[in-house]
Amino acid sequence: LKEKDLLLIILLTIIFHYLRAVNCISVTNERYRLNYHIMAPAGWINDPNGFSYYHGEYHLFYQHNPDNATPGNIHWGHVKSEDLVHWKHLPIALSPDKLYDNGGVFSGSGIVFKNSLVLMYTGNANQSNGTYFSSQSQELAFSSDGERFIKYTNNPVIAFPPIDGGNAFRDPSIWQYKDMWYVILGNQNNLTQQGRALIYSSYNLHTWNYVGVLAESTGNFGYMWECPDFFELKGRYILLMSPQGIKANGDDYKNLYQTGYFVGSYNYQTNNFSHNNVFIEMDHGHDFYAAQTMEAPDGRRIMIAWMDMWESAYLEQEDGWVGALTIPRALTLSPSGKILQKPVDELRSLRTSTLLRSTINVKGVSKLLDARSAEILIKATFKSTVARVGIQIDIGNCSKVLAYLDKSNNKFVLDRGDNDPRKTLIDVVNRDNFETLKIRIFLDKSSIEIFLNDGGTTFTSRIYPSSTPAVYALSEGAVTRMKVVAYELKN
Ligand code: FRU
């Protein structure tokens, strides 16, 4: 190269980076920025991806548009942590720069293989290339330092859906069993237009064989199953997924799309997943989708989800960002086959000062505290003559968030005051004519996560306070004795 050409190249590179930087979106208002949840530095987030553990650290990626607070131009953002609590932002891991993924580096998972962190994701192509790949195909990327990822030269590794499969063919979740790799993918059956999950297997990650359909909607479970995840809890197998197209039914399935699971048994030889067709919603709030799990080094099954929902109002959008991920939750299976969610114990390290520790008798409302980000633990004891037991949060501008047990029907209700309450039946513990209810709340600047009793029922929703929330204990119709402990949580 001549000196003149070199100078020109340097100049063009500088201009390119400058244009990229001025185009870059930034956060213009911090009012709803969360204190202890994972968010992108700015721009858009949806699904968690590639949740894995590599060289002593948890790695988590997320669907991310770095240029705008809108979906589109999807990359993989990247954070890592030693303790699931303190996360560090890393450079963007994957960008949509190949013919097979130029319409977005869609969701996928991560595993460790031969000392590399390996990501498997869906390449969403702007144009399908009939000969080499369909509009959604599955790709690999490798990293030896957990930071820079190189896409596999022979991508796609699964180029086409099976013959009876529709073009919606995405969100690989990969795991190892004995000496084989398995991947589960979401798809639509072309003939029935029903959602389903497919299994592939591989000896070496590069060559994949189609094993077959793991499970399929028989008419009631939607037209497409997004983000399937398949794992074992206490010898049972869980198919966790996010179906699109389930219609609301009474108090159930009230969000645009759902996230839930089937529990069953699985036979690797026959690929037979036998379950009783009961789809249990994982969370009952407004904003919980595309959950993903990983197995921690100590054997815990840990889940994180997108703490939003497609097509919501996203009040933070005008501030240059949208979306966040839930706190990590450890999953166990109850004897009755229900998944219990417990915020991981590491989250205790977020507690700073104790805001409150007392036992009170509540009738009507009783002020507990003011806080923007707090963990509140309540053990309520009451007689069944009570009408409502729970909390009320004043979030400014005369708006209230109510979270309470409605004793007339034993349903727990989360009401953000927007005429769109969520409710579900909960198990009530009754001993010697007294009932008890444990409520554990993680409040952040624009979110609330509620865990009831042993974690068998949770509610996750975005809320948008216009001033510091004031939290009240609530007991209507009779007196409730409440043991309350509350901690301020650090940023
Ligand atoms: C789920 C989802 C996935 C897809 C990704 C695209 O929210 O639609 O199916 O891979 O988001 O961002």
Side-chain angles (χ1 to χ4, degrees):
L1 281 181
K2 290 206 187 91
E3 201 178 306
K4 207 171 75 193
D5 296 334
L6 255 179
L7 276 176
L8 189 66
I9 290 172
I10 292 171
L11 192 69
L12 285 175
T13 314
I14 291 172
I15 292 174
F16 171 78
H17 284 290
Y18 172 76
L19 286 177
R20 172 115 208 193
V22 292
N23 260 338
C24 239
I25 191 158
S26 58
V27 171
T28 52
N29 189 330
E30 297 279 326
R31 61 192 164 157
Y32 302 131
R33 289 293 277 176
L34 294 150
N35 274 355
Y36 56 89
H37 286 85
I38 295 168
M39 301 170 293
W44 168 273
I45 275 195
N46 56 290
D47 315 355
N49 291 153
F51 195 11
S52 49
Y53 191 79
Y54 179 61
H55 288 171
E57 289 169 311
Y58 293 93
H59 285 259
L60 184 59
F61 305 79
Y62 49 82
Q63 293 282 282
H64 177 43
N65 181 352
D67 299 326
N68 255 306
T70 50
N73 190 25
I74 289 293
H75 296 59
W76 276 34
H78 187 188
V79 288
K80 69 172 184 179
S81 167
E82 282 173 13
D83 62 0
L84 293 166
V85 180
H86 301 86
W87 295 93
K88 183 179 168 209
H89 282 287
L90 294 176
I92 284 177
L94 298 171
S95 303
D97 52 13
K98 301 282 183 209
L99 279 177
Y100 53 74
D101 66 15
N102 56 9
V105 181
F106 275 14
S107 282
S109 51
I111 45 107
V112 178
F113 179 58
K114 290 193 179 158
N115 222 17
S116 292
L117 179 53
V118 184
L119 306 179
M120 188 167 187
Y121 69 93
T122 297
N124 187 51
N126 279 331
Q127 253 178 336
S128 79
N129 178 325
T131 320
Y132 297 108
F133 50 82
S134 61
S135 56
Q136 297 196 331
S137 59
Q138 319 313 321
E139 335 296 341
L140 294 176
F142 294 85
S143 171
S144 53
D145 64 0
E147 211 168 310
R148 278 165 305 139
F149 290 82
I150 295 169
K151 293 181 185 171
Y152 178 48
T153 38
N154 287 337
N155 276 341
V157 289
I158 307 178
F160 295 95
I163 197 93
D164 62 347
N167 289 337
F169 177 52
R170 57 180 180 265
D171 309 337
S173 175
I174 185 170
W175 77 97
Q176 192 175 25
Y177 179 73
K178 300 201 168 153
D179 51 1
M180 286 287 268
W181 294 99
Y182 291 87
V183 76
I184 183 168
L185 278 156
N187 182 228
Q188 183 184 68
N189 180 322
N190 238 347
L191 308 169
T192 62
Q193 312 287 301
Q194 298 293 311
R196 63 182 188 173
L198 311 176
I199 301 282
Y200 288 73
S201 69
S202 170
Y203 283 109
N204 56 12
L205 293 182
H206 300 141
T207 313
W208 290 89
N209 294 312
Y210 180 46
V211 175
V213 176
L214 180 82
E216 178 156 7
S217 169
T218 43
N220 298 325
F221 300 120
Y223 57 81
M224 169 63 192
W225 289 3
E226 296 193 310
C227 303
D229 193 357
F230 195 54
F231 54 89
E232 201 184 325
L233 278 184
K234 271 204 188 140
R236 305 287 287 154
Y237 279 82
I238 315 294
L239 170 57
L240 165 67
M241 44 109 178
S242 295
Q244 297 177 293
I246 299 188
K247 295 207 170 54
N249 178 14
D251 295 331
D252 296 333
Y253 317 137
K254 299 266 282 200
N255 293 331
L256 177 61
Y257 304 139
Q258 328 304 324
T259 294
Y261 59 92
F262 293 118
V263 182
S265 58
Y266 183 59
N267 182 328
Y268 275 92
Q269 269 77 50
T270 58
N271 187 38
N272 178 35
F273 175 52
S274 145
H275 63 92
N276 55 6
N277 243 9
V278 179
F279 179 71
I280 307 176
E281 271 185 278
M282 184 62 102
D283 186 280
H284 297 274
H286 304 76
D287 296 294
F288 185 96
Y289 195 61
Q292 184 170 90
T293 72
M294 61 92 68
E295 192 184 335
D298 58 8
R300 283 177 301 170
R301 178 61 57 175
I302 299 176
M303 176 182 73
I304 288 185
W306 181 31
M307 194 164 61
D308 275 291
M309 178 48 61
W310 287 108
E311 297 175 32
S312 290
Y314 312 127
L315 294 199
E316 70 270 35
Q317 197 158 36
E318 64 180 77
D319 302 340
W321 67 285
V322 164
L325 305 182
T326 64
I327 53 171
R329 307 163 181 198
L331 306 184
T332 52
L333 198 66
S334 79
S336 69
K338 200 171 182 195
I339 289 183
L340 309 179
Q341 303 175 45
K342 186 172 175 244
V344 295
D345 285 340
E346 288 90 330
L347 287 163
R348 287 166 197 261
S349 69
L350 283 174
R351 295 174 182 172
T352 53
S353 57
T354 306
L355 295 169
L356 183 69
R357 182 186 294 274
S358 70
T359 303
I360 50 175
N361 289 321
V362 185
K363 181 141 194 220
V365 287
S366 172
K367 172 101 182 252
L368 298 177
L369 53 110
D370 295 305
R372 296 173 80 81
S373 80
E375 181 187 345
I376 305 164
L377 298 113
I378 297 175
K379 186 172 177 202
T381 309
F382 47 89
K383 290 212 155 166
S384 47
T385 47
V386 80
R388 291 172 162 197
V389 180
I391 60 156
Q392 170 183 315
I393 311 178
D394 290 358
I395 56 170
N397 275 342
C398 300
S399 299
K400 290 183 203 329
V401 173
L402 292 169
Y404 60 90
L405 170 67
D406 180 347
K407 266 312 293 175
S408 69
N409 51 19
N410 278 339
K411 287 187 175 173
F412 196 89
V413 183
L414 174 63
D415 184 352
R416 299 186 297 186
D418 56 0
N419 292 321
D420 189 22
R422 293 289 184 273
K423 40 181 112 154
T424 191
L425 202 62
I426 61 164
D427 297 332
V428 176
V429 186
N430 193 327
R431 222 168 269 141
D432 306 326
N433 281 330
F434 280 99
E435 297 184 5
T436 54
L437 172 66
K438 281 195 252 167
I439 311 176
R440 184 170 179 191
I441 294 170
F442 281 81
L443 186 68
D444 203 341
K445 278 169 63 192
S446 59
S447 69
I448 184 163
E449 288 163 275
I450 303 174
F451 298 82
L452 297 175
N453 290 333
D454 49 7
T457 308
T458 64
F459 287 79
T460 301
S461 292
R462 298 295 303 276
I463 55 172
Y464 293 95
S466 54
S467 58
T468 302
V471 183
Y472 296 82
L474 174 81
S475 173
E476 286 174 12
V479 179
T480 295
R481 192 165 178 78
M482 290 194 189
K483 260 174 106 170
V484 188
V485 184
Y487 303 96
E488 187 166 14
L489 298 185
K490 71 180 176 201
N491 192 343

